[in-house]
Amino acid sequence: MKVLKDILYKVSLTSTTGDMELGVKDIVFDSRHVTEGSAFVAIKGTQVDGHEFIEKAIGLGAQSIVCEQLPVKLLDGITYVEVVNSARALGIMASNYFDNPSESIKVIAITGTNGKTTTATLLHQLFMRMGYSTGLLSTVENKINETVIHATHTTPDAVSVQALLRRMVKEGCTHCFIEASSHAIVQERIAGLKLAGAVFTNISHDHLDYHGTFDAYIKAKKKLFDELPKDAFALVNGDDKRGSVMLQNCKASHQTFALKSPADFKAKIISNTLEGLELDINSKLIWFRMIGAFNAYNLLAVLGVTVLLGEEEDEVLRELSGIRGAKGRFDRISIAGITAIVDYAHTPDALDNVLKTINGARTGGEQLITVVGCGGNRDKTKRPIMAKIAVQESDKAILTSDNPRFEEPEQILKDMQAGVGPSEIRKTLTIVDRREAIKTACMLSKKGDIILIAGKGHEDYQEVKGVKHHFDDTEVVTEFLQQLTQS
C-alpha cells in the first residue's frame, strides 16, 4: 500500500486537510469503482463532473479525496487535497503509485491526424524483429510483445496507461510506442509520463466537434511537444506546415522527416503500385510492402525514431522492408479478379490520400467503386467534404452508414449528400444499410475493378444507439466476392 503524500509528489497542490500519511489502496476516478481505502480523484470530464460524486465515493469507502474544488462541508476522518488540475494530478499520482515505470522504459508518443496507428504499429513490429521486448498502446490494440490487451480508447485513461507500463517493465520491455490522440493530450491521459521522444505525422480537418476550432486542435497536438524534456527528441513532418509550429518552445532536440523539403530523414518515391512502394533513402533503393505516399511518410517517421534511438540505419531498412503494417490500413482482398481495399480512412485528408493512391496505380480500364460513411456524434462539418472527395475521385460512390451511434443514419447521409454536386448525382448511390452497400458495390463490379471500403478499417463492430453489433468490412466483402465466384 502506498502513502498519500508519496503519490502526490510533483502534483501542484492548492491546499490539504487531514492525514497525509494515509495509506492508499488504489487510485480511482470513477466513483462506481471505489472500495474501502481508495483515493478518489474528482475530474471535470466531458460528460460528467466527478466533483458531484465525492459524497458517493466517501460512502463507498474512499478515505482521501483529490479535487479542484473542495466540498462545502468537510467530513471528519477524510483527507482532502485541493489541486490545480485534477486530470493532470491523476496521471502524476498514477505514475508515482506504479513506481514511475516510464523512467525504466523508453516511451515514444506519436500524434497527428493520420498515420498514428501505422507508425506506432510499425515501430512495435520493427523493434520486436530486432530482438527487443516491446510494448504498444494503439487504436487497434494494446500489446506486450505478442500478447494483446483490449483497447477501448486511442489512448487509455491515465491509471490504465501507468498500470500497463508497469506491467511492461516487469515483463522486460525496453521500449513502448504510444498513440497520443488530441483528446488524450488535452485530457491529460499521458500526464506523468517521461517521454524519450515524440512524433508529429501531420494535421488536417478532424475532431472539431470536440476542440471547437482548428486552432484549438493544433494547440492540443502542440501541448505534447511543449512538455517534452530536454533529453528527449521531437521528430516532425517537415512537409506539413504545422511541423515547425510543433517545435516552437519545444525544449527537446529537433528533427524532421520529409519527401519534398530538406530534412534529417528524407526519401524519394521511385515507384508506387498496389503491390508496394519503392523509395530512395540516402541513395539506397528499398522496396516496401506498403502502399502510397502517406505510407512513405510513415516509413520515414519510423526510420527516424529508430535511428534516434540508436539503431543502425541499414539494419532498420532491411527489417522494415519486410513489415506489412497495421490491420485495417489499406488491407487488400483479391477474389474473382476484383480487388477490394479496406481502410480506416475516416477524415477528408485520409480518404483523399487513399483514393489518390489507388488512382495513381490504376491502368485506366477498371472502375473504382467507393463505399464510405461518416460517424455519428462526431464532427458534422467533414461529412459533405468526405462525400465530395469520394464522388470526385471514384467512378461510383456509395454513401452508407459508419457508426451512427446516437444519431439517425438518414440524417448523417443527408449531411453527406450536401457535398455531392448536381453533375455527380448520377454516379452516387445512398444505401443506409452498410452490408447492403458493400453487397451492391460487389454486384456492380466486374473483373479488374477496385472497391474501396473506407471508414472502419480494423473495427469489427458497428455502434448503433449505444450497442456494438459485430460488423467486419473485410468479412462482409469477402463473403460477397466469394458468392460472385459461385454464380
Side-chain angles (χ1 to χ4, degrees):
M1 185 176 288
K2 303 288 183 178
V3 176
L4 180 60
K5 71 173 185 179
D6 293 337
I7 64 174
L8 286 169
Y9 177 61
K10 292 186 179 180
V11 173
S12 296
L13 306 180
T14 303
S15 68
T16 62
T17 303
D19 183 10
M20 297 298 288
E21 298 288 341
L22 192 68
V24 174
K25 189 189 73 174
D26 58 5
I27 304 169
V28 180
F29 62 93
D30 185 335
S31 62
R32 294 170 295 183
H33 299 153
V34 169
T35 56
E36 193 71 32
S38 294
F40 176 66
V41 183
I43 296 174
K44 294 178 180 178
T46 55
Q47 303 295 325
V48 295
D49 185 348
H51 290 76
E52 298 175 3
F53 298 91
I54 289 176
E55 186 177 339
K56 177 185 176 183
I58 293 172
L60 290 170
Q63 295 175 324
S64 51
I65 302 296
V66 178
C67 56
E68 293 176 19
Q69 195 170 6
L70 291 172
V72 174
K73 182 180 179 182
L74 303 186
L75 302 179
D76 292 337
I78 302 298
T79 298
Y80 296 90
V81 180
E82 188 179 13
V83 298
V84 175
N85 184 324
S86 292
R88 188 165 185 80
L90 178 68
I92 297 170
M93 290 171 67
S95 179
N96 290 328
Y97 183 85
F98 290 105
D99 300 319
N100 302 299
S102 61
E103 294 181 4
S104 303
I105 184 173
K106 291 180 179 177
V107 182
I108 309 298
I110 299 99
T111 196
T113 304
N114 302 310
K116 295 187 298 294
T117 299
T118 296
T119 302
T121 302
L122 286 172
L123 282 163
H124 177 258
Q125 293 176 358
L126 176 61
F127 272 74
M128 285 188 61
R129 286 173 72 111
M130 293 193 301
Y132 291 98
S133 184
T134 311
L136 172 70
L137 300 182
S138 81
T139 303
V140 177
E141 57 194 2
N142 299 329
K143 298 181 79 172
I144 298 177
N145 294 318
E146 292 295 350
T147 302
V148 177
I149 303 148
H150 181 64
T152 56
H153 296 85
T154 305
T155 313
D157 65 77
V159 177
S160 297
V161 167
Q162 297 293 343
L164 281 167
L165 282 173
R166 178 75 258 159
R167 181 174 166 186
M168 289 176 188
V169 170
K170 285 184 176 180
E171 295 193 23
C173 290
T174 55
H175 300 78
C176 177
F177 304 101
I178 298 180
E179 285 187 53
S181 68
S182 56
H183 293 67
I185 295 168
V186 170
Q187 293 169 10
E188 302 286 5
R189 285 188 243 156
I190 56 175
L193 287 183
K194 182 183 186 301
L195 296 177
V199 180
F200 169 72
T201 59
N202 52 63
I203 198 162
S204 61
H205 191 117
D206 200 16
H207 299 310
L208 299 194
D209 56 310
Y210 179 80
H211 297 289
T213 66
F214 191 55
D215 185 55
Y217 180 42
I218 293 169
K219 287 179 179 177
K221 300 291 189 187
K222 184 176 173 358
K223 184 176 185 293
L224 177 67
F225 294 88
D226 289 347
E227 297 177 354
L228 284 175
K230 287 183 179 180
D231 60 350
F233 65 79
L235 177 64
V236 304
N237 183 344
D239 288 340
D240 189 302
K241 63 182 180 180
R242 312 293 181 182
S244 60
V245 174
M246 298 297 141
L247 297 178
Q248 294 171 4
N249 306 316
C250 175
K251 297 185 291 292
S253 65
H254 299 179
Q255 305 284 334
T256 58
F257 62 94
L259 293 175
K260 302 171 184 175
S261 53
D264 299 291
F265 301 94
K266 187 173 173 62
K268 179 182 179 182
I269 296 176
I270 303 302
S271 65
N272 181 19
T273 71
L274 290 179
E275 282 68 48
L277 188 64
E278 186 177 21
L279 299 181
D280 180 339
I281 301 176
N282 293 335
S283 299
K284 294 185 283 277
L285 296 181
I286 313 293
W287 175 265
F288 298 96
R289 296 185 178 191
M290 303 175 69
I291 300 156
F294 56 95
N295 272 324
Y297 283 107
N298 295 332
L299 289 162
L300 271 178
V302 171
L303 174 64
V305 168
T306 313
V307 171
L308 289 169
L309 286 173
E311 302 304 316
E312 199 273 319
E313 182 178 291
D314 285 346
E315 182 189 0
V316 172
L317 291 173
R318 183 169 58 252
E319 295 292 348
L320 196 52
S321 65
I323 298 176
R324 292 189 179 276
K327 180 183 178 184
R329 271 63 176 177
F330 219 96
D331 286 347
R332 294 174 64 235
I333 304 103
S334 294
I335 300 173
I338 299 166
T339 298
I341 296 169
V342 174
D343 194 89
Y344 188 55
H346 64 288
T347 67
D349 188 54
L351 182 62
D352 190 52
N353 283 336
V354 171
L355 284 167
K356 279 185 165 57
T357 296
I358 295 171
N359 282 321
R362 291 171 67 183
T363 58
E366 70 279 57
Q367 67 172 344
L368 170 58
I369 303 171
T370 296
V371 179
V372 65
C374 290
N377 303 107
R378 296 293 186 269
D379 185 1
K380 295 182 180 181
T381 62
K382 71 181 181 182
R383 294 174 183 174
I385 303 171
M386 294 276 286
K388 181 178 181 179
I389 291 169
V391 172
Q392 291 183 343
E393 296 288 339
S394 312
D395 296 295
K396 290 187 178 69
I398 303 176
L399 309 183
T400 190
S401 296
D402 190 285
N403 291 317
R405 297 185 176 89
F406 290 97
E407 281 195 74
E408 295 302 324
E410 291 83 2
Q411 182 58 51
I412 297 173
L413 290 169
K414 186 176 179 181
D415 292 342
M416 292 184 72
Q417 288 168 339
V420 180
S423 62
E424 298 161 333
I425 292 175
R426 58 180 179 78
K427 61 173 184 175
T428 307
L429 295 173
T430 300
I431 302 174
V432 175
D433 186 281
R434 191 174 182 89
R435 182 178 174 85
E436 283 301 313
I438 295 173
K439 179 180 180 180
T440 300
C442 293
M443 296 297 292
L444 290 173
S445 62
K446 59 183 185 299
K447 188 175 181 179
D449 287 349
I450 302 168
I451 302 170
L452 171 64
I453 306 170
K456 291 178 62 61
H458 65 280
E459 293 178 350
D460 60 0
Y461 62 86
Q462 193 168 34
E463 186 177 346
V464 183
K465 303 298 182 185
V467 179
K468 290 184 176 180
H469 306 271
H470 179 76
F471 194 98
D472 188 310
D473 284 348
T474 300
E475 289 178 6
V476 175
V477 72
T478 300
E479 174 191 339
F480 288 126
L481 288 178
Q482 286 176 339
Q483 287 180 10
L484 291 179
T485 65
Q486 300 165 5
S487 59

